[in-house]
């Protein structure tokens, strides 16, 4: 597998599902992180802050994140914009 262009600092390369090997060719100094996982068996619902398997769970989760944010802001621990 190859990327269509060079992957530079700060970029993310995502490869298609495959059982093939991934070979890295480095031109100069490089550091990278490789992540790999099995395919998730459920459809995912993507939110701004989190990922869930049902729209209702996403709504509830993000509402909880907002509630915690308001509490931390009221206590002076964070600043909400």
């Amino acid at each position: 597998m190859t990327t269509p262009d060079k992957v530079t600092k700060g970029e993310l390369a995502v490869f298609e599902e495959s059982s093939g090997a991934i070979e890295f060719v480095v031109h100069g100094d490089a550091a990278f992180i490789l992540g790999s996982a099995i395919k998730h068996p459920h459809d995912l619902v993507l939110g701004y802050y989190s990922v869930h398997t049902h729209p209702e769970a996403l709504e509830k989760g993000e509402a909880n994140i907002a509630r915690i944010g308001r509490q931390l802001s009221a206590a002076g621990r964070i600043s909400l914009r």
Side-chain angles (χ1 to χ4, degrees):
M1 294 183 178
T2 61
T3 59
D5 297 306
K6 289 182 180 179
V7 179
T8 60
K9 182 178 180 177
E11 287 187 302
L12 172 69
V14 178
F15 295 93
E16 293 180 6
E17 183 178 342
S18 171
S19 61
I22 298 176
E23 180 180 331
F24 295 93
V25 177
V26 178
H27 303 282
D29 292 337
F32 63 90
I33 297 172
L34 174 65
S36 176
I38 61 171
K39 189 172 185 175
H40 196 281
H42 306 286
D43 289 335
L44 298 178
V45 181
L46 307 178
Y48 187 74
Y49 298 111
S50 57
V51 177
H52 296 270
T53 55
H54 297 284
E56 297 81 14
L58 174 64
E59 184 177 333
K60 183 178 178 182
E62 290 201 341
N64 195 36
I65 290 169
R67 181 188 58 77
I68 293 168
R70 289 189 300 273
Q71 287 176 333
L72 292 172
S73 178
R77 300 197 47 205
I78 65 170
S79 174
L80 296 177
R81 294 180 192 189

